[in-house]
Amino acid sequence: MTTVMARVKKTAANPRVFLLFLIVLLVVLFGSLKPAFLNGPFVLAPLMSSIAIFTVVGLAQMVALSVGHMNLAVGQMASLGAMVMGLCYDVFRMPLILGLLVGLVAGAAVGALTGWIIVKTGVNSFIVTLAMSFALIGLVPAMYSWLSEGAAFTSKPAGLDLIGRQTFASICMGNTCGTDAVPLIILPAILIMGLVWYLYSRTRLGREILVTGSNVKAAELSGVPTGRRLMFVHTLSGTLAAAAGFMVAASVGSFTPAIGSEFMLPSFVGPILGGTLLAGGFVSVIGTFLGITLTLVIRKGLDLFGVGLETMNVLLGVILLVALSTERFRLASGGRRRGGERPSGEPAQTDDPDQPDEALKDPPESVQTEDKELAR
Amino acid sequence: MTVPALEIKNLTKTFPGVKALDRATLTLMPGTVHALMGENGAGKSTLIKVVTGILHGDSGTINVFGENVHFDGPTDAMDAGIGVVHQERNVVRGFTVGENICLSKMPRKGPLVDWPEVKIQAKRCLDMLDLAIDPDTPMTELSAAQTQLVEIARGLYTETRVLLLDEPTASISVDEAMRLFRVIERLKAEGTAILFVSHKLEEVFEHCDSITVLRDGKTVVESQPLAGFTRDEVIDKMVGRALAHLEAPQRSVDMTTVPALALNALSTTAGHRNVSFELRRGEILGLYGLVGAGRTELARSILGLEGVVAGTVKVKGEDVRIRSVREALQKYRIGYVTENRKEEGVFLLQPITTNIAVTVWSKLAKFMGYVPAKDEQSLVAEQVAQLDIKISSQDQMAGQLSGGNQQKVSLAKWLAANTEVLIIDEPTVGIDVRTKRSFYDLIWKLADEGMAILLISSDLSEMITLADRIAVMERFVVRGEIENTHHYEEMSQAVIRLIHPTSTPAAGE
């Protein structure tokens, strides 16, 4: 019985479980107060569609965070990728998959360039990606007005509408069709989540990226080619951003310069709420998904209650702040209780050694020393 | 009868699950150097932290010059004339040397910092240690040892009647330690009471007057004159049972084999000139030198982290050009255990599995880079068992282990990768006597199994215990190589003579 209790306690302490609990609670709350919230084609399908898109955006940021970097150009990389795709469909009449691939390569290329600059110059990723985003903010609309009529590519290759705007209701087997509450665009999002999860949890490359994020000096001295790993991470971030750009274009039906303009802030919210460390070395794909889901469920719910956009943004800001500060507080008190006042040289007692997420919260001595220094 | 400078009575401090101090008692007289000894975790650092107001004791009394005190924070202790050099590096890396020294009490001119005065004060502290460091130097440009010396200079900044030194010599060379002891002698003559924590018995016996030994938070030797003790007795008191005297085993190296690693007149961008040596399998070659002699830089040059200007590196008789640690590891089977465990040796926030398997992922990887968790874990389990690393699970974070176990983890990753040449840089800094002993046994065992070991250390007694031969480096040049006879007196004289060829060895050395 006690072990069951311990297990329950441990699970409840996991931030991912906490997020899931909040999401379920809110859905039940909104659903019972406003039954319209559970309407399939008009509420749930669009909601899931934006969750799918922003999860991919969140992952594009998460991979940069995994090495302690950031990608402030995530939106602009998405818009560049989308522009290239639109160009392929509109001017070169390419089929869906081919144009998508070319666009992803464009995203990868701009990401690789960013990564290369960061590694070669040693300039902070914040600055390099900020500069990159400015350059692209200028470049992409200029390209649109030069290459398209009306500053948008509107040609739709076969299949674009299916993936972007339709639900499982369009997929039929004999006489039975799927539900119209679930959009098809969740499929690419699930595929991407699976691939990123596999990368970080199962492969050598993912492990090497995480140790690079954890301590780049130690990684280099352990034989990890840290420069190449950093470049890969930015390449991947650009690729995922371009994929998100494609998903937005598919869901609205045209390729415009506005794609990606609102990506940057949400891209941080998902990973951070989900437990990804800003300092690098720890990521959570599921957490990123749950973090994005929570914010979008709140947004949608408030929208149904007729809360205006301005009020909604203020409310969202407050909710995020509260959520993050309780999390921060929990971290801090947990760390103090377990490791903070440990006599030097004594190995720490781990309450739950088989729970890496929990153990992570125990800041190592060096971190504490720094904290103390700052406090003084 | 003089009043004790510091009198600690029945001090108890409990952490969840551990009694760090259990009625600890200590009397420190003015004008004496008092050794505080004990193994890691015996409570030495906790005692110092309570005395300086960083931690608060549960019960017991502290008197400073006969006056009962309660410190709420470090500033209170400072105002009472207690200076301290902590074991952990507490420097602010983004600041300059001068700022760090004066950090506790910045000289002011009205509301503004008096920068010229900061420089003057910092210079004064640095001069006391004969340190030729400009106060304007950023901390980031200093080596580990120089950082430690600045830390000591910081303890000299304020007027102190009681100076607490927590392992100040852990990562500095004999020469620099000698400067420190000259300062200690001077302060002692001026009547300052000094509490000195060190794991180095030689230092303690040479410079201390009295001794207190802590074991598991309890005082087992209470403020007695050091003259009545032998080294073995002190070790016995610390570990609580008789520990065999550190004696090098009989070892023989087959000198006819092709050297596993050889440098031939190597000059580097780091500044080395004409460095040559040969290291054979099964051999422990000691590379001894003062701080700044270029030992760590030589290791980095071998690994390709510094450029080669002239000369060659040979691995098993063949000229090689190593460009990265990865190449050194995968192509030439050379591993490097760094001197800077926490910053370069382990990933504090990553699990043990990751910390040890990091060198072997490329070997374990299957199709599409897939690393089977089972293979990884069994390989790590093997190393954990072989090195006797104390962990509760492989998922435990490396940052939660004690220093000795972290060091074992940082060594284990190279053993897991089957390296044939191991460069070990300062393996036992800040590690207690018993763990040190097990490290020595381990290094001997690895050599007996055929590993070629290049041992870098600034602990001369460690060098004389462990090495088969000692190469002495000074200012990026190897001054000479000596066969090790394992006689401390004889060897230390020989080493000092190589470093200072013209002068006679300094008194007391």
Side-chain angles (χ1 to χ4, degrees), chain B residues 75-136:
Chain B
T75 3
D76 289 354
M78 221 179 299
D79 292 341
I82 298 180
V84 63
V85 175
H86 285 292
Q87 184 185 12
E88 309 98 59
R89 306 227 170 87
N90 280 318
V91 293
V92 184
R93 294 196 69 72
F95 282 18
T96 64
V97 170
E99 287 168 300
N100 267 290
I101 291 175
C102 301
L103 197 59
S104 56
K105 216 179 223 167
M106 276 287 183
R108 299 261 180 88
K109 214 187 236 162
L112 302 174
V113 174
D114 184 354
W115 291 111
E117 183 64 19
V118 168
K119 261 182 141 172
I120 293 165
Q121 289 296 331
K123 193 90 188 54
R124 175 181 65 85
C125 300
L126 291 168
D127 283 348
M128 274 204 244
L129 291 164
D130 291 333
L131 272 180
I133 303 176
D134 183 356
D136 285 337

Side-chain angles (χ1 to χ4, degrees), chain B residues 457-477:
Chain B
S457 177
S458 50
D459 182 341
L460 193 52
S461 69
E462 174 168 292
M463 204 46 113
I464 292 166
T465 309
L466 278 178
D468 299 318
R469 273 182 304 144
I470 300 174
V472 178
M473 178 169 256
E474 204 223 0
R475 288 188 211 154
F476 292 79
V477 173

Side-chain angles (χ1 to χ4, degrees), chain B residues 282-299:
Chain B
E283 188 183 24
I284 303 171
L285 173 64
L287 184 57
Y288 177 81
L290 307 180
V291 167
R295 300 158 306 159
T296 299
E297 291 83 353
L298 186 67

Side-chain angles (χ1 to χ4, degrees), chain A residues 289-348:
Chain A
F289 162 72
L290 291 172
I292 291 289
T293 305
L294 178 69
T295 45
L296 290 174
V297 162
I298 294 172
R299 209 175 243 278
K300 196 64 157 186
L302 294 179
D303 190 25
L304 281 183
F305 280 95
V307 177
L309 191 65
E310 293 82 4
T311 325
M312 193 147 72
N313 280 334
V314 172
L315 263 173
L316 258 177
V318 172
I319 290 168
L320 282 180
L321 204 58
V322 169
L324 284 175
S325 47
T326 29
E327 176 69 12
R328 206 42 243 172
F329 181 72
R330 218 163 52 85
L331 276 180
S333 59
R336 217 173 2 253
R337 193 178 62 249
R338 262 196 304 282
E341 296 200 335
R342 183 194 324 146
S344 67
E346 283 284 337

